[in-house]
Amino acid sequence: MPPKNSVVHARNRARPSFSRSILAFGAAALMAAAISACSGGSSGSGSAVKDGFTQATQSAGPLTVWVDSTRVPAAQAYQKAHPNVKLNIVTYDGDANGADTLQTKVDLYDRTGSGWPDVVFSATDNETSWGVSAGFLAPLNEGLIPQATLSNFATGSLNPCTVNGKVYCLRNDLSQVVLWYNASLMKQWGYQVPTTWPQYEQLGETVAKQHPGYLVGNAGDTFTPEIYMWASQCQANDVTGLRTVTVNVTSPDCTRMASLLDTLIKAGSMSKLSVFSTAFDKNEKGKVLMLPGPAWFGGAVFDSTSGLNVPKGQVAAAPVPQWPGTSTPSTGNVGGGTWLLSAHSAHLKEAVSFISWVTGNNAWQDELTPGFPAYVPAAKVWLANQAKSGYYAVNIDPVLQQAAGEVWPGWGYGKFSQESIWAATIDPGLTAGKTIVSMLPAWQTAITNFATSDGYQVSP
Amino acid sequence: MSPSRTTDPAGARAARRPRPVKAGHVFVAGYVILLAAFGVLPTAYGIYYAFTSTGNTFAGLSNFASAARDFRYLPAVGHVALYLVIWLTFLVLFVTGLSVVLQQLPVRRIARVARFLYYIPGALAGAAGVLVWLFMLDPTVSPAAAFLRFLGYGTFGQVIEPGHLSIRLPMIAFWTGAGGWIVVMGGALNTIPTELIEAARIDGAAGWSIARRIQIPMIRKWIVYMVILAFAGGTQLFVEPQLISAASLGVAGRDYSLTQLSYDLAFQNNNVNYASAISVELLVVSLVVAALFVTRSRFFDAS
Amino acid sequence: MQADIDAPAAVPAAAPARLRPKSRRLPSPARATGELLIGLVLVGFVVFFILPVVWLLLAATKTDPQLVSSSPLSFGSWHALRHNWDTLTSFQGDTILLWLRNSTLQASVALAITLVAGIPAGYALAMTEFRGRRALLVTTLVVMLMPTTTLVIPLFLELNAVHLIGTIWSVVLPYSFYPFGVYLTYIYFSTALPRDLLDAARIDGCTEFGAFRRIALPLAAPVVALVGFFSFVANWTNYFLPYVMLPSSNDYPVQVGIGLLLTDVPQFNPTAGTAAVLRPELALAILIAITPVFVVFLFSQRFLISGLLSGSTKG
């Protein structure tokens, strides 16, 4: 082992060395400032204002398209149909599940002044909440895309894309909420499909007594508020401007739905589990009588081996129940993706052609897309194909089409995620046995907190 | 018996003193370049962000104040503090204990196999762990279902209730991290000359007193290193709550820790200044603790 | 405590007197129960660490419904395993193999640079005196403790300034900076390599480089294996850096690829549709992703244990 004097030596050197450390950091800071001055977000040089925004200098080159895995076939189909176009297809996570990939990357590209993709598919509907002020999204209705095309999108489907009258994205698919039910069981037990929420509640209580263990609904998903609260016209997410929102969850619209959910949960005919949880999978197969849910429940929950795997000919859909006295029927919406066009793109013509094709083209939309297309002509073809499969007990086309136009516009698309807020605030309480009604004030506080920290002005 | 212990004329000793300046500098040159480019520069930049606001104007401590006023800040501080206590206790106790036990095993092969098995979870960091823990913590499908039900949990939601995270998260962190440290400590223990241990054994000392009197004191520097890094890693808690949040679709673990908050502020709110302020706070706390340990254990001595 | 550290220097006959053994010879039954207890603890920990991995192994052999309904530790079928493998590799055309190749390349190149830069540096910090030695140690520690979240943006800007974004160097170079490894080397050399040896070599006229090459390096096998292994694993499991730096999914390492696969699992993302990745396939992907780590571990474990210095302290 080393003799002691080397220890003494080392200690004597202590003082000068710390000042060296400070010098090192100081020099580094200077360098850092220098780098920040040199690099920097320069907008496209030689830009011109056209079609409602400052366009970058256009040039020839490959079109960079970011898609998630499910939409890769769309991009490939486009390539096949347009062999002369050079496409650079990049797969990313689609911004699903609250990942902020797109915003993170765009922020980095903004700092360096280059690297933005031309077209992006996003699995979320709220990219406009940051993309417009970041200058990333190009307005589409000021000359890039003809109004005739835009009017072919289902009523209200372009709402998440619209800010101050300008349309900043194209909707890929709708997820309108309908009332799914098992027609065979309903017939067998002689129940009528409810058309009002009080009827629905009553049926739920009846089922709990007569056929315990069977479900008429599910309140354990993170998107539960988008099914029930949205359909009930609850003012939990009334986004009134780019950074303003009105939140009032203690109003009767909200409390009556909350208490309906509580009643049925207590009775036992509404589950507190997520439809995608293993417990639901294991215990609820064959036990689902009714299930309010979005259009994609059909394929993802009922007709899926990983889901309930209900046999052919049993599942049907009806319009979602309404509260008595509502003038316009309303339903909720759970998701749906959007196609975005970058304002920094140097290949606008090709980008517009791509984006119009993938949203409107029947060949891709009806064969390869899993969701109900937002573009009406494509939707018609998609519905026809669904009917051919013969899975459903009745023809559900009219139900889906009707619901597509009834999505309540009072629930907006903010920066903050209502699903995350519900998941973190309400779900733990549900697990612990609390009632939703008792948790409404906490929900209000949570929404207010998240909205405020995202820069929103919240009005009660 | 080395010549330096015999009487040596002072002159020879002076001549023998190596000219370390040149050689030492050459040895560290490559590392210093990497350190400057990828360590010091980004760190300085990060600190710079913490004290400025958008537009590069000096902001004093206002970023720190604003970050602290975020509604998620105080709960996160509490979470991290609690996590640290439990995590450090687990880690130091079990890693040191297991390493010593393994090292004292008479059959070396068993020790090697055990170390390998303990290490395996270390490869399941990050996204790979989401699926594993989603199933492990779900009483419906977990191999440890009987154990979970014995503890009174019927559903996944019950296992990850917010109050329970203070135990779950250190457990997951321990599961992924302990194996690596056990390997390091194993290597450390192997640097202790065997004669020492043999001598002690001859004198009748048993396992525990050998550990206490010889082994642990001699690997003191390694333990200090582990504590410093584990403390810093604990304050920067991120992966485990993020993992739980992904597995539970946001029901638990979201905005649980300060680093998660910093990440949200940086990338969701585009507020790199608040995020850096939080990072600097964590850095300062870790530095204070590290300095404490370093000075008390004379960590930097070249011996 | 300091006394305990320095005492062993005077090892030979002094030790027994210093240690003052209490001659506690445990009676045999107590010793046996002690050993049994230790055995139980060891096995208990093995179960704790390994059970989830065994589950993962078995999960890859099942179909998705089986994963939920059958017993957690039951074997599925070879047929299901085969099917999972086929579906996984057909995901965007063998992409997983491409990701593995990327990971291997990135981790190995960075590992080489780390060792070349780090081992000599750790040695010099421990065994030589030079101006700035302490500053280097302090700076390294400070940088190691800085949370990495806020380092991402400066790193990105830096690498962009030298036009490396999108190339493999944008991840390899930051990976190569591995202060943890330098510290490990520093501690290893400062505690395990006796100065006497080096002093002897210097007296014999060896240059510093010669001393390093002829004495330190041969004895450094354990720490080279240790640092090499940890560096490889850190690079292999790094998620955030490649996620930010590499724009195209074809350049992703396997860790980021797994994150991408995760977003295609219907249970995590219900709109996954036709590109759905089922959970057993994900399990298989994870197993494929972690296997190289074990191969490297087993390879380096031989060197880790073999470097006992019992021979070198004898004068």
Side-chain angles (χ1 to χ4, degrees), chain C residues 133-177:
Chain C
R133 191 188 73 92
R134 221 165 224 244
L136 204 50
L137 283 169
V138 171
T139 313
T140 302
L141 191 62
V142 171
V143 164
M144 258 202 297
L145 299 180
M146 179 73 173
T148 41
T149 347
T150 37
L151 296 184
V152 172
I153 293 183
L155 264 178
F156 190 87
L157 290 176
E158 236 183 86
L159 290 165
N160 185 68
V162 290
H163 302 293
L164 286 177
I165 295 292
T167 67
I168 197 181
W169 297 108
S170 61
V171 289
V172 167
L173 288 177
Y175 283 170
S176 309
F177 171 58

Side-chain angles (χ1 to χ4, degrees), chain B:
Chain B
M1 291 271 283
S2 87
S4 66
R5 288 188 202 278
T6 62
T7 52
D8 216 55
R13 190 172 281 192
R16 195 188 3 107
R17 175 166 305 148
R19 286 170 308 230
V21 175
K22 285 224 165 76
H25 287 158
V26 173
F27 277 123
V28 299
Y31 172 67
V32 166
I33 295 175
L34 290 171
L35 172 65
F38 301 109
V40 175
L41 195 50
T43 303
Y45 217 145
I47 298 178
Y48 169 78
Y49 275 135
F51 289 99
T52 57
S53 55
T54 45
N56 295 335
T57 53
F58 184 68
L61 292 175
S62 70
N63 289 330
F64 295 86
S66 307
R69 263 183 263 131
D70 192 291
F71 70 99
R72 296 161 283 189
Y73 184 84
L74 277 179
V77 172
H79 296 150
V80 171
L82 187 55
Y83 174 83
L84 270 173
V85 169
I86 299 181
W87 159 241
L88 284 175
T89 317
F90 270 7
L91 191 73
V92 175
L93 270 182
F94 289 126
V95 166
T96 321
L98 281 174
S99 304
V100 167
V101 164
L102 284 177
Q103 210 274 339
Q104 288 187 1
L105 280 183
V107 183
R108 181 132 301 139
R109 195 175 206 137
I110 297 184
R112 277 172 68 165
V113 170
R115 269 194 216 103
F116 175 64
L117 292 177
Y118 290 169
Y119 181 76
I120 289 182
L124 281 162
V130 172
L131 183 72
V132 173
W133 285 105
L134 174 61
F135 274 77
M136 287 307 112
L137 296 175
D138 186 346
T140 320
V141 286
S142 171
F147 179 63
L148 289 173
R149 269 189 225 117
F150 168 73
L151 293 175
Y153 303 127
T155 64
F156 179 60
Q158 285 172 335
V159 175
I160 57 165
E161 268 191 82
H164 300 151
L165 288 184
S166 53
I167 299 284
R168 310 271 175 271
L169 298 178
M171 184 187 76
I172 298 177
F174 181 79
W175 185 77
T176 27
W181 282 114
I182 291 178
V183 169
V184 171
M185 288 302 158
L189 286 167
N190 278 333
T191 64
I192 299 177
T194 42
E195 308 88 64
L196 283 184
I197 310 213
E198 312 258 307
R201 281 236 172 84
I202 289 174
D203 279 337
W208 168 238
S209 67
I210 293 181
R212 196 161 55 90
R213 288 158 181 271
I214 304 185
Q215 292 181 303
I216 293 180
M218 287 192 76
I219 58 169
R220 200 186 48 172
K221 266 196 182 174
W222 301 86
I223 297 183
V224 166
Y225 187 46
M226 178 172 75
V227 170
I228 292 177
L229 285 190
F231 184 87
T235 57
Q236 293 173 38
L237 174 64
F238 183 80
V239 174
E240 288 76 21
Q242 198 74 353
L243 199 150
I244 293 280
S245 175
S248 66
L249 297 178
V251 170
R254 199 170 175 263
D255 300 326
Y256 189 82
S257 75
L258 285 169
T259 307
Q260 283 179 304
L261 177 58
S262 164
Y263 182 89
D264 277 350
L265 289 172
F267 296 111
Q268 272 186 29
N269 299 57
N270 260 2
N271 201 327
V272 102
N273 304 99
Y274 290 6
S276 297
I278 295 183
S279 291
V280 168
E281 285 167 358
L282 294 177
L283 175 65
V284 166
V285 169
S286 301
L287 276 179
V288 165
V289 169
L292 259 164
F293 275 97
V294 158
T295 47
R296 283 199 53 197
S297 70
R298 311 236 228 112
F299 190 70
F300 285 149
D301 299 345
S303 55

